[in-house]
mmCIF file of all heavy atoms in Angstrom:
data_model
loop_
_atom_site.group_PDB
_atom_site.id
_atom_site.type_symbol
_atom_site.label_atom_id
_atom_site.label_comp_id
_atom_site.label_asym_id
_atom_site.label_seq_id
_atom_site.Cartn_x
_atom_site.Cartn_y
_atom_site.Cartn_z
ATOM 1 N N MET Y 381 8.276 6.722 -23.178
ATOM 2 C CA MET Y 381 9.612 6.432 -22.760
ATOM 3 C C MET Y 381 10.645 6.766 -23.761
ATOM 4 O O MET Y 381 11.787 7.030 -23.393
ATOM 5 C CB MET Y 381 9.731 4.893 -22.408
ATOM 6 C CG MET Y 381 8.847 4.457 -21.262
ATOM 7 S SD MET Y 381 9.252 5.340 -19.705
ATOM 8 C CE MET Y 381 7.762 4.896 -18.703
ATOM 9 N N ALA Y 382 10.285 6.769 -25.007
ATOM 10 C CA ALA Y 382 11.282 7.228 -26.007
ATOM 11 C C ALA Y 382 11.539 8.688 -25.922
ATOM 12 O O ALA Y 382 12.697 9.112 -26.053
ATOM 13 C CB ALA Y 382 10.689 6.917 -27.457
ATOM 14 N N LEU Y 383 10.541 9.556 -25.610
ATOM 15 C CA LEU Y 383 10.818 10.923 -25.451
ATOM 16 C C LEU Y 383 11.493 11.265 -24.139
ATOM 17 O O LEU Y 383 12.160 12.322 -24.030
ATOM 18 C CB LEU Y 383 9.424 11.665 -25.468
ATOM 19 C CG LEU Y 383 8.691 11.685 -26.817
ATOM 20 C CD1 LEU Y 383 7.369 12.463 -26.740
ATOM 21 C CD2 LEU Y 383 9.544 12.286 -27.975
ATOM 22 N N LEU Y 384 11.438 10.324 -23.178
ATOM 23 C CA LEU Y 384 12.117 10.582 -21.960
ATOM 24 C C LEU Y 384 13.669 10.313 -22.047
ATOM 25 O O LEU Y 384 14.470 10.787 -21.237
ATOM 26 C CB LEU Y 384 11.572 9.540 -20.824
ATOM 27 C CG LEU Y 384 12.076 9.774 -19.434
ATOM 28 C CD1 LEU Y 384 11.782 11.195 -18.928
ATOM 29 C CD2 LEU Y 384 11.389 8.793 -18.520
ATOM 30 N N GLY Y 385 14.026 9.607 -23.152
ATOM 31 C CA GLY Y 385 15.443 9.304 -23.409
ATOM 32 C C GLY Y 385 15.931 8.344 -22.387
ATOM 33 O O GLY Y 385 15.195 7.752 -21.598
ATOM 34 N N GLU Y 386 17.252 8.214 -22.343
ATOM 35 C CA GLU Y 386 17.861 7.273 -21.391
ATOM 36 C C GLU Y 386 18.032 7.968 -19.999
ATOM 37 O O GLU Y 386 19.095 8.092 -19.488
ATOM 38 C CB GLU Y 386 19.207 6.743 -21.879
ATOM 39 C CG GLU Y 386 18.931 5.871 -23.054
ATOM 40 C CD GLU Y 386 20.007 4.815 -23.318
ATOM 41 O OE1 GLU Y 386 21.042 4.822 -22.592
ATOM 42 O OE2 GLU Y 386 19.871 4.004 -24.249
ATOM 43 N N ASN Y 387 16.902 8.321 -19.414
ATOM 44 C CA ASN Y 387 16.828 8.950 -18.115
ATOM 45 C C ASN Y 387 15.782 8.206 -17.262
ATOM 46 O O ASN Y 387 14.842 7.630 -17.787
ATOM 47 C CB ASN Y 387 16.401 10.386 -18.229
ATOM 48 C CG ASN Y 387 17.415 11.240 -19.008
ATOM 49 O OD1 ASN Y 387 18.469 11.550 -18.562
ATOM 50 N ND2 ASN Y 387 16.949 11.666 -20.173
ATOM 51 N N GLN Y 388 15.995 8.209 -16.010
ATOM 52 C CA GLN Y 388 15.104 7.533 -15.066
ATOM 53 C C GLN Y 388 14.514 8.561 -14.086
ATOM 54 O O GLN Y 388 15.261 9.402 -13.563
ATOM 55 C CB GLN Y 388 15.739 6.404 -14.320
ATOM 56 C CG GLN Y 388 14.822 5.770 -13.242
ATOM 57 C CD GLN Y 388 15.452 4.535 -12.644
ATOM 58 O OE1 GLN Y 388 14.943 3.492 -12.723
ATOM 59 N NE2 GLN Y 388 16.547 4.646 -11.946
ATOM 60 N N VAL Y 389 13.240 8.485 -13.807
ATOM 61 C CA VAL Y 389 12.664 9.319 -12.732
ATOM 62 C C VAL Y 389 12.088 8.397 -11.680
ATOM 63 O O VAL Y 389 11.271 7.535 -12.011
ATOM 64 C CB VAL Y 389 11.483 10.231 -13.322
ATOM 65 C CG1 VAL Y 389 10.958 11.147 -12.208
ATOM 66 C CG2 VAL Y 389 12.004 11.121 -14.498
ATOM 67 N N VAL Y 390 12.537 8.617 -10.492
ATOM 68 C CA VAL Y 390 12.043 7.845 -9.355
ATOM 69 C C VAL Y 390 11.167 8.664 -8.550
ATOM 70 O O VAL Y 390 11.457 9.803 -8.036
ATOM 71 C CB VAL Y 390 13.305 7.448 -8.441
ATOM 72 C CG1 VAL Y 390 12.764 6.500 -7.288
ATOM 73 C CG2 VAL Y 390 14.264 6.624 -9.301
ATOM 74 N N LEU Y 391 9.912 8.221 -8.280
ATOM 75 C CA LEU Y 391 8.864 8.893 -7.482
ATOM 76 C C LEU Y 391 8.885 8.214 -6.112
ATOM 77 O O LEU Y 391 8.776 7.025 -5.952
ATOM 78 C CB LEU Y 391 7.516 8.730 -8.095
ATOM 79 C CG LEU Y 391 7.109 9.567 -9.307
ATOM 80 C CD1 LEU Y 391 7.437 10.991 -9.114
ATOM 81 C CD2 LEU Y 391 7.811 9.100 -10.563
ATOM 82 N N ASP Y 392 9.072 9.032 -5.035
ATOM 83 C CA ASP Y 392 9.051 8.577 -3.670
ATOM 84 C C ASP Y 392 7.766 9.106 -3.088
ATOM 85 O O ASP Y 392 7.495 10.363 -3.103
ATOM 86 C CB ASP Y 392 10.228 9.054 -2.885
ATOM 87 C CG ASP Y 392 11.551 8.301 -3.221
ATOM 88 O OD1 ASP Y 392 11.566 7.109 -2.840
ATOM 89 O OD2 ASP Y 392 12.427 8.856 -3.843
ATOM 90 N N CYS Y 393 6.917 8.244 -2.531
ATOM 91 C CA CYS Y 393 5.623 8.590 -1.974
ATOM 92 C C CYS Y 393 5.681 8.243 -0.436
ATOM 93 O O CYS Y 393 5.614 7.046 -0.166
ATOM 94 C CB CYS Y 393 4.444 7.999 -2.700
ATOM 95 S SG CYS Y 393 4.334 8.483 -4.399
ATOM 96 N N ASP Y 394 5.789 9.224 0.411
ATOM 97 C CA ASP Y 394 5.934 8.947 1.875
ATOM 98 C C ASP Y 394 4.687 9.435 2.545
ATOM 99 O O ASP Y 394 4.328 10.638 2.507
ATOM 100 C CB ASP Y 394 7.176 9.631 2.368
ATOM 101 C CG ASP Y 394 8.420 8.969 1.837
ATOM 102 O OD1 ASP Y 394 8.715 7.819 2.149
ATOM 103 O OD2 ASP Y 394 9.202 9.682 1.040
ATOM 104 N N VAL Y 395 3.941 8.555 3.134
ATOM 105 C CA VAL Y 395 2.710 8.865 3.883
ATOM 106 C C VAL Y 395 3.016 9.506 5.243
ATOM 107 O O VAL Y 395 3.644 8.850 6.104
ATOM 108 C CB VAL Y 395 1.814 7.618 4.015
ATOM 109 C CG1 VAL Y 395 0.504 8.019 4.803
ATOM 110 C CG2 VAL Y 395 1.500 7.030 2.673
ATOM 111 N N ILE Y 396 2.711 10.800 5.319
ATOM 112 C CA ILE Y 396 2.857 11.455 6.659
ATOM 113 C C ILE Y 396 1.725 11.184 7.553
ATOM 114 O O ILE Y 396 1.914 11.065 8.800
ATOM 115 C CB ILE Y 396 3.001 12.919 6.401
ATOM 116 C CG1 ILE Y 396 4.200 13.219 5.452
ATOM 117 C CG2 ILE Y 396 3.166 13.732 7.680
ATOM 118 C CD1 ILE Y 396 4.314 14.695 5.040
ATOM 119 N N GLN Y 397 0.497 11.130 7.060
ATOM 120 C CA GLN Y 397 -0.670 10.913 7.870
ATOM 121 C C GLN Y 397 -1.674 10.069 7.031
ATOM 122 O O GLN Y 397 -1.935 10.312 5.871
ATOM 123 C CB GLN Y 397 -1.298 12.247 8.251
ATOM 124 C CG GLN Y 397 -2.470 12.165 9.200
ATOM 125 C CD GLN Y 397 -2.825 13.464 9.780
ATOM 126 O OE1 GLN Y 397 -1.996 14.046 10.606
ATOM 127 N NE2 GLN Y 397 -4.001 13.963 9.411
ATOM 128 N N ALA Y 398 -2.168 9.006 7.581
ATOM 129 C CA ALA Y 398 -2.982 8.055 6.942
ATOM 130 C C ALA Y 398 -4.410 8.005 7.420
ATOM 131 O O ALA Y 398 -4.675 7.865 8.692
ATOM 132 C CB ALA Y 398 -2.479 6.623 7.011
ATOM 133 N N ASP Y 399 -5.416 8.249 6.538
ATOM 134 C CA ASP Y 399 -6.823 8.204 6.947
ATOM 135 C C ASP Y 399 -7.586 7.664 5.733
ATOM 136 O O ASP Y 399 -8.695 8.235 5.375
ATOM 137 C CB ASP Y 399 -7.339 9.608 7.309
ATOM 138 C CG ASP Y 399 -8.803 9.554 7.801
ATOM 139 O OD1 ASP Y 399 -9.159 8.526 8.528
ATOM 140 O OD2 ASP Y 399 -9.541 10.431 7.555
ATOM 141 N N GLY Y 400 -7.036 6.579 5.055
ATOM 142 C CA GLY Y 400 -7.707 5.990 3.878
ATOM 143 C C GLY Y 400 -7.270 6.651 2.662
ATOM 144 O O GLY Y 400 -7.107 7.868 2.568
ATOM 145 N N GLY Y 401 -7.116 5.861 1.571
ATOM 146 C CA GLY Y 401 -6.792 6.369 0.295
ATOM 147 C C GLY Y 401 -5.403 6.830 0.096
ATOM 148 O O GLY Y 401 -5.030 7.758 -0.720
ATOM 149 N N THR Y 402 -4.420 6.163 0.762
ATOM 150 C CA THR Y 402 -3.052 6.583 0.677
ATOM 151 C C THR Y 402 -2.429 6.300 -0.755
ATOM 152 O O THR Y 402 -1.676 7.080 -1.260
ATOM 153 C CB THR Y 402 -2.136 5.898 1.746
ATOM 154 O OG1 THR Y 402 -2.138 4.484 1.591
ATOM 155 C CG2 THR Y 402 -2.551 6.254 3.178
#
Side-chain angles (χ1 to χ4, degrees):
M381 297 301 167
L383 294 179
L384 187 60
E386 293 205 355
N387 299 291
Q388 176 172 243
V389 183
V390 181
L391 285 308
D392 286 290
C393 300
D394 294 291
V395 179
I396 299 173
Q397 188 167 292
D399 186 35
T402 61

